[in-house]
């Protein structure tokens, strides 16, 4: 089966491509660097020719409110239009648990716009809502840093490791379209401020973390339900401690 992975060279994309190729499928890892650009439309028709399944794993290069909305709307429209012409039979997109609850954030407004385009396209689809990736804990810490203090919400999170996400994306690519949203999540729940504090300690980072219920998460205020799934998610297998032991080491 021919499968096109948009954003196929990114964190999740590269791992998903590897898994699908190991299962014997013809996989195109599409990105602007490979001549496939969903914003300009360059290379889309050629890449999608003969494809049965498309995974959209691309992310906006900017988190600025206007830019991120324009990215997801333009990319989504161009990609879905090209898929219709190519006769693609399953469109899969990776989105975020809590997207509809976090519309105070420009990023999540962009993701919701993307999801609405998919649902209105007429192409059979599966949307995968994932909790935050463990690999982004460093970026989350940086987003809340002022001087040597990191101010973060104490709301619950349940982050998942990118390897577990890629396993799910590969499985979904080979399954029939759900025409629905499914959710995936890490195996453990913890407070964001406490988890980032553990991460920084593991990295021997001297910054201190302060829990602040008013601290914004990419523009949105959180509560204990914002970033976790209670919708019977598929759970990843890798725990915080396993990931810390393998990955969160000073370079």
């Amino acid at each position: 089966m021919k499968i096109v992975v948009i954003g196929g060279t990114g964190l999740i994309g590269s791992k998903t491509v590897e898994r699908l190729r190991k299962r014997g499928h013809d996989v195109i890892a599409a990105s602007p660097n490979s001549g496939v650009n969903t914003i300009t439309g360059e290379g889309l028709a050629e890449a999608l020719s003969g494809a049965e399944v498309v995974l959209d794993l691309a992310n906006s290069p900017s988190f600025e409110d206007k830019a991120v909305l324009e990215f997801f709307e333009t990319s989504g429209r161009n990609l879905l239009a090209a898929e219709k012409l190519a006769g693609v039979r399953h469109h899969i997109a990776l989105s975020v648990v809590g997207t509809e609850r976090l519309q105070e954030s420009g990023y999540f407004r962009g993701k919701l716009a993307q999801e609405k385009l998919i649902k209105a396209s007429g192409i059979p689809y599966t949307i995968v809502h994932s909790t935050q990736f463990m690999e982004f804990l460093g970026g989350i810490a940086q987003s809340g840093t002022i001087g040597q203090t990191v101010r973060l919400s104490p709301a619950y999170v349940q982050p998942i490791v990118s390897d577990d996400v890629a396993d799910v994306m590969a499985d979904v690519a080979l399954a029939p379209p759900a025409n629905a949203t499914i959710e995936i999540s890490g195996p453990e729940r913890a407070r964001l401020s406490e988890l980032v504090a553990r991460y920084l300690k593991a990295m021997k980072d001297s910054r201190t973390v302060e829990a602040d219920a008013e601290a914004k998460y990419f523009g949105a205020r959180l509560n204990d339900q914002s970033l976790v799934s209670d919708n019977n998610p598929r759970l990843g297998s890798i725990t915080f401690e396993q990931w810390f032991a393998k990955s969160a080491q000073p370079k």
Side-chain angles (χ1 to χ4, degrees):
M1 183 163 62
K2 180 177 177 181
I3 301 169
V4 177
V5 180
I6 304 296
T9 58
L11 174 65
I12 306 299
S14 59
K15 294 181 177 187
T16 303
V17 166
E18 178 186 16
R19 284 157 171 76
L20 289 169
R21 284 177 176 165
K22 281 183 177 178
R23 298 191 196 185
H25 298 282
D26 175 17
V27 186
I28 292 180
S31 70
N33 288 339
S34 69
V36 181
N37 191 316
T38 57
I39 297 300
T40 65
E42 175 193 2
L44 269 181
E46 294 82 356
L48 295 181
S49 178
E52 296 181 47
V53 177
V54 173
L55 290 91
D56 186 2
L57 306 180
N59 204 1
S60 174
S62 169
F63 277 31
E64 188 274 323
D65 285 4
K66 184 181 178 188
V68 75
L69 182 62
E70 288 180 352
F71 175 86
F72 284 120
E73 288 187 332
T74 302
S75 177
R77 288 193 182 102
N78 288 342
L79 181 57
L80 292 163
E83 287 179 28
K84 276 192 172 182
L85 291 174
V88 169
R89 296 191 292 191
H90 189 184
H91 177 95
I92 302 159
L94 180 60
S95 193
V96 189
V97 165
T99 289
E100 68 287 348
R101 298 190 288 268
L102 295 168
Q103 290 298 292
E104 187 182 357
S105 162
Y107 182 81
F108 290 100
R109 289 196 295 273
K111 292 302 290 182
L112 188 61
Q114 177 192 34
E115 293 182 24
K116 287 180 177 178
L117 288 170
I118 293 166
K119 292 174 182 178
S121 71
I123 300 171
Y125 72 90
T126 305
I127 295 171
V128 179
H129 269 190
S130 173
T131 53
Q132 185 57 270
F133 307 148
M134 205 87 75
E135 288 84 353
F136 286 176
L137 288 177
I140 292 169
Q142 191 57 41
S143 73
T145 296
I146 300 175
Q148 284 297 105
T149 302
V150 184
R151 286 187 172 82
L152 291 173
S153 170
Y156 279 116
V157 292
Q158 197 162 339
I160 187 169
V161 173
S162 61
D163 282 323
D164 284 338
V165 178
D167 287 343
V168 172
M169 300 313 296
D171 288 346
V172 170
L174 303 180
N179 291 312
T181 299
I182 64 173
E183 296 193 346
I184 60 175
S185 179
E188 300 172 290
R189 194 170 287 194
R191 296 199 177 277
L192 178 62
S193 52
E194 294 173 4
L195 187 59
V196 170
R198 288 171 61 190
Y199 170 79
L200 294 179
K201 183 178 180 181
M203 294 293 290
K204 296 181 169 54
D205 190 310
S206 62
R207 284 176 291 176
T208 58
V209 178
E210 289 186 5
D212 180 357
E214 297 301 319
K216 298 288 185 71
Y217 179 83
F218 300 104
R221 189 179 183 277
L222 302 179
N223 60 42
D224 282 345
Q225 288 74 48
S226 298
L227 292 174
V228 297
S229 174
D230 292 313
N231 192 28
N232 192 29
R234 172 170 164 174
L235 296 179
S237 62
I238 300 172
T239 66
F240 302 143
E241 294 302 333
Q242 289 169 331
W243 182 76
F244 286 145
K246 182 179 179 182
S247 303
Q249 297 298 324
K251 299 294 189 290

